Amino acid sequence: MLDLLLTNARVRTLDDDRPAATAVGVAAGRVLGFDGDVADLPARAVVDCGGAAVVPGFGDAHNHMAWFGQSLSELALEDVTTLDGLYAAVARRAAGLPADAWIIGSGYDDTAMGAHPDRYGLDRAGGGRPVWLKHRSGHMCTVSSAVLRRIGADTAGVPDPEGGVIVRDGTGTPTGLLQERAQEPVTALVMPYPVADLADAIGRASRVYAAEGLTHVVEAGIGRGLIGRTPVEAAAYQLARERGDLRTRVELMVAADNLHPLDGHADDGIDVGIDLGLHTGFGDDRLRLGPMKIWLDGSLIGRTAAVTEPLCGHGRGVFQNPPEVMRDLVVDAHRAGWRVAAHAIGDEAVDLALDAFERAYKELPRPDVRHRIEHAGVVRPDQLARFAALGVVPVPQPRFLYTVGDAMAASLGPERVGWLYRHRSFLEHGIRVPGSSDRPVAPGAPLAGMASMVERLSSGGAVLAPDERVTAEQALRAYTVDAAWASHDEHRRGSLSPGKLADLVILDRDPVDTADRGIDTVEVLATVVGGEAVHGADAFAGLAATAAGHGA
């Protein structure tokens, strides 16, 4: 007997052997078959889709789930466009709070406001309270004087930490803006967060993800490190799963800061790793370890990305640690069985990542590893062939082009805009490109990301590197087939094929056939993971029976 039978649907399977269907049968959490193969089988739940489109569930190959979930309960600054508006928002939050209460906000964008806030403005708005405002990039923040005093960085003469910048005014006095690793003393004041609180945040994020059609996400860095929440962060994901709040499949990148020397047998070659020698792949199809995440450089909008030629109005960026140290760590992680995800935005950082992967392959050949370069924001033409030769997966974020594309273009200058967050060039070199968002750095709705792949429009109306545009079907494949492939999951998800996981999305119309109306206007009606409705259970008669307590 089938557990679920979808009928009267316009199914785009993304399986070349059977690209279209009108009915889908599901049993034991997997696709059993299509159309005549399943139409006459009894089913516990039969859903008439009323002509709606059905496509494979969407994947996000790079997001920050706990960070996003926490931001939903923080002072939201994404839509603030003036400094006065930001200070007013801080003042409203401060009203009625105890004198020592923290005010934490997230998502501000200096390019939208024309400047960063400063410590003195935050002092006034917050009434002297500790104020911590996180930039949308995650690579910088601005804090009030109360916070600067607590971390010992409130006066001139304080040295910059390795891999970080304390921004100063003309007298050398810190302004409150902290970049890259200079943020770590601030996070140390409030972390680690309790596991139960993080599980709540993950649950909040998961509900949003399900409503957007996401069935699998890669959490890009847990534990200690630049964006980690607690050294025991994986426990929060386990708790969210145990509570029934984890509606999406999750792959956890472990931040490189969690790796340490191990005393295994010399023949094992595992000198560096995490306890017990666990590495990429441990877990199951609901929650498992993904790559090791290492940050090589900074951000493009913060002008801290490591580039071979200076950025406009800025220098060549920063490396998070000495390049030789990071190169050795990549090789050690490769030897210990990890797939490696190297954060590299500038072309010089991309060179470092490619050099490290090439050395790792030479020291220990591992077929079809699929090491990754997260972001790959600025890629020179000569680097494309190296990606292909080494089998390295680029993981760019298309929605950056809309949200911060104008600022990135200004940083690079017109000569390099064509290198910005490439897509078509990778495809032409035989390189698969998974869809991803880096949420909450940029909005994470997959359909909006697909629209940016096709249009490459900035919020200012510019078309950025038009030669890198792709078709609507290629964009859909990026968020389905290619996102699964990047995680070595192509045998169990990414397309709707017999035997694969029954992860699918029901849409009001096909995002490929209706691209002329704007892919980002397509509506998600329901999301199904393993044959169970995790969103939209009430949208179709019969679907609620599969909801397993998730509701709508």
Side-chain angles (χ1 to χ4, degrees):
M1 175 178 283
L2 297 173
D3 294 316
L4 173 65
L5 177 62
L6 301 178
T7 65
N8 191 19
R10 290 176 294 120
V11 184
R12 185 179 290 273
T13 68
L14 296 181
D15 182 341
D16 293 338
D17 291 335
R18 185 152 192 179
T22 60
V24 184
V26 174
R30 295 182 179 269
V31 174
L32 184 66
F34 303 98
D35 295 345
D37 296 334
V38 296
D40 296 328
L41 296 178
R44 292 184 176 87
V46 178
V47 176
D48 183 338
C49 293
V54 174
V55 298
F58 303 141
D60 187 331
H62 182 119
N63 92 110
H64 302 285
M65 193 172 190
W67 174 12
F68 172 64
Q70 284 185 305
S71 74
L72 295 175
S73 63
E74 294 172 347
L75 178 61
L77 301 171
E78 293 87 350
D79 298 327
V80 176
T81 57
T82 67
L83 282 174
D84 286 344
L86 180 143
Y87 292 136
V90 171
R92 287 193 296 272
R93 178 60 65 96
L97 289 178
D100 60 347
W102 279 73
I103 300 169
I104 301 177
S106 60
Y108 87 83
D109 185 351
D110 63 298
T111 62
M113 299 186 298
H116 289 277
D118 64 46
R119 60 189 289 187
Y120 304 114
L122 296 182
D123 292 346
R124 291 190 295 272
R129 295 173 179 82
V131 182
W132 176 24
L133 304 185
K134 307 170 193 176
H135 192 269
R136 69 179 308 155
S137 69
H139 287 264
M140 49 191 149
C141 66
T142 302
V143 298
S144 64
S145 297
V147 178
L148 287 175
R149 285 193 295 272
R150 294 186 190 195
I151 65 172
D154 59 324
T155 59
V158 177
D160 289 343
E162 181 75 40
V165 178
I166 300 172
V167 177
R168 307 160 200 276
D169 62 19
T171 69
T173 302
T175 66
L177 178 60
L178 306 172
Q179 297 178 320
E180 306 304 339
R181 301 192 81 97
Q183 301 177 92
E184 291 179 353
V186 180
T187 61
L189 296 175
V190 297
M191 295 183 189
Y193 293 108
V195 163
D197 290 356
L198 285 177
D200 291 341
I202 291 164
R204 288 193 294 270
S206 189
R207 288 190 290 276
V208 173
Y209 291 5
E212 295 173 346
L214 283 164
T215 59
H216 182 280
V217 298
V218 181
E219 164 60 68
I222 65 166
R224 298 179 176 89
L226 185 63
I227 58 169
R229 281 27 217 166
T230 170
V232 294
E233 194 164 351
Y237 285 86
Q238 289 181 283
L239 179 57
R241 179 182 181 179
E242 291 164 3
R243 290 174 171 177
D245 292 337
L246 196 61
R247 303 179 182 213
T248 46
R249 304 182 193 275
V250 179
E251 189 175 354
L252 301 172
M253 287 189 193
V254 175
D257 302 70
N258 297 277
L259 274 60
H260 55 83
L262 297 174
D263 297 323
H265 194 281
D267 291 348
D268 297 333
I270 304 176
D271 302 317
V272 172
I274 63 174
D275 289 336
L276 303 178
L278 302 180
H279 56 76
T280 301
F282 183 81
D284 59 22
D285 59 25
R286 288 280 177 166
L287 182 63
R288 75 173 191 268
L289 294 182
M292 181 275 280
K293 169 75 175 292
I294 183 169
W295 283 264
L296 301 186
D297 67 343
S299 75
L300 195 53
I301 57 175
R303 303 195 177 189
T304 53
V307 290
T308 52
E309 296 294 333
L311 295 164
C312 297
H314 209 281
R316 290 177 52 188
V318 299
F319 282 115
Q320 296 284 346
N321 285 294
E324 62 276 10
V325 172
M326 295 187 291
R327 188 181 298 112
D328 288 346
L329 185 54
V330 168
V331 174
D332 286 341
H334 170 88
R335 294 181 63 85
W338 290 93
R339 192 163 68 248
V340 176
H343 168 114
I345 291 182
D347 61 321
E348 187 173 23
V350 170
D351 277 335
L352 175 59
L354 293 171
D355 289 346
F357 292 145
E358 184 172 12
R359 180 181 145 196
Y361 293 144
K362 287 180 179 177
E363 291 196 10
L364 180 65
R366 286 173 57 196
D368 197 27
V369 179
R370 302 179 199 174
H371 290 319
R372 306 154 48 119
I373 294 183
E374 308 304 301
H375 310 299
V378 183
V379 176
R380 301 188 310 269
D382 63 287
Q383 292 174 319
L384 294 166
R386 289 197 72 195
F387 271 88
L390 294 170
V392 172
V393 182
V395 188
Q397 289 70 47
R399 201 59 181 172
F400 280 6
L401 297 168
Y402 182 81
T403 56
V404 292
D406 293 318
M408 293 192 297
S411 292
L412 288 174
E415 298 82 3
R416 289 178 288 183
V417 170
W419 304 354
L420 183 65
Y421 286 87
R422 294 178 180 269
H423 195 153
R424 179 171 291 280
S425 291
F426 285 126
L427 297 182
E428 290 174 347
H429 281 75
I431 303 164
R432 301 175 76 154
V433 182
S436 72
S437 68
D438 201 21
R439 184 174 10 207
V441 177
L447 288 160
M450 293 177 212
S452 285
M453 289 177 172
V454 173
E455 300 166 357
R456 295 188 66 89
L457 279 174
S458 74
S459 58
V463 179
L464 302 173
D467 290 345
E468 294 295 335
R469 289 180 293 197
V470 299
T471 68
E473 183 170 359
Q474 288 169 326
L476 177 60
R477 292 182 70 87
Y479 277 92
T480 53
V481 176
D482 295 333
W485 181 88
S487 291
H488 270 286
D489 267 356
E490 67 272 20
H491 62 290
R492 55 183 171 184
R493 62 181 181 87
S495 65
L496 296 176
S497 309
K500 288 190 177 181
L501 295 167
D503 296 354
L504 55 90
V505 188
I506 306 177
L507 307 171
D508 70 334
R509 61 189 191 279
D510 189 314
V512 175
D513 290 341
T514 61
D516 60 321
R517 295 171 58 188
I519 299 175
D520 53 344
T521 65
V522 173
E523 182 182 351
V524 175
L525 302 178
T527 304
V528 174
V529 176
E532 297 180 355
V534 296
H535 169 73
D538 297 331
F540 298 93
L543 197 57
T546 74
H550 290 295

